[in-house]
Amino acid sequence: QLQLVESGGGLVQPGGSLRLSCAASGRPLDAYAIGWFRQAPGKEREGVSCIGKNGKSSSYADSAKGRFTLYRDNVENTVYLQMNNLKPEDTAIYFCAADRNRFPDFCSIDARNPRYLDWGQGTQVTVSA
């Protein structure tokens, strides 16, 4: 069974950076597209970014474009979300999830996509002065 563990969250000032990690165990990560999602208090879970199995395609929410970069290391079984120029509105719990679709370069940032069956426990990101 695939297990996902997020890490790297924390408290950062506006304009700062964080790198989140999504480490997989139990199954090889290259069998899955990976999505990152976030949920702020009182808000619905929303998609942030995703990356296909082969690492050659990715997608970003408008709020993340130009600031966030998603990449994966299938040897280390880990996906990384580099977040720069963080803003207070980025404050949320960040989750990664796995989608075992059959395409090597497809992924979805739709948080309601039923193919995201495996989720991590989340890591808190707080952006505040």
Side-chain angles (χ1 to χ4, degrees):
Q1 183 176 356
L2 179 70
Q3 293 185 327
L4 301 173
V5 177
E6 302 95 335
S7 61
L11 173 63
V12 63
Q13 292 185 344
S17 298
L18 285 173
R19 189 181 76 163
L20 305 184
S21 299
C22 174
S25 62
R27 289 183 177 175
L29 192 62
D30 61 5
Y32 300 87
I34 298 296
W36 276 94
F37 305 89
R38 66 187 183 186
Q39 188 165 18
K43 294 188 177 181
E44 291 187 355
R45 188 172 296 185
E46 63 177 2
V48 176
S49 182
C50 67
I51 189 166
K53 289 189 286 187
N54 62 11
K56 295 181 179 180
S57 63
S58 58
S59 183
Y60 296 88
D62 288 343
S63 59
K65 288 178 181 177
R67 300 188 300 127
F68 295 2
T69 302
L70 184 60
Y71 58 101
R72 64 191 298 159
D73 186 329
N74 285 339
V75 174
E76 293 188 356
N77 246 22
T78 303
V79 173
Y80 300 96
L81 180 66
Q82 177 67 44
M83 305 189 298
N84 298 327
N85 190 22
L86 284 161
K87 305 176 181 180
E89 51 264 40
D90 294 318
T91 296
I93 301 175
Y94 284 70
F95 302 87
C96 64
D99 169 12
R100 196 170 186 176
N101 72 73
R102 61 188 179 96
F103 302 103
D105 56 0
F106 174 79
C107 69
S108 168
I109 58 170
D110 183 353
R112 296 168 294 179
N113 188 332
R115 296 193 60 90
Y116 282 114
L117 297 176
D118 299 290
W119 291 77
Q121 83 291 346
T123 185
Q124 176 71 48
V125 171
T126 303
V127 185
S128 175

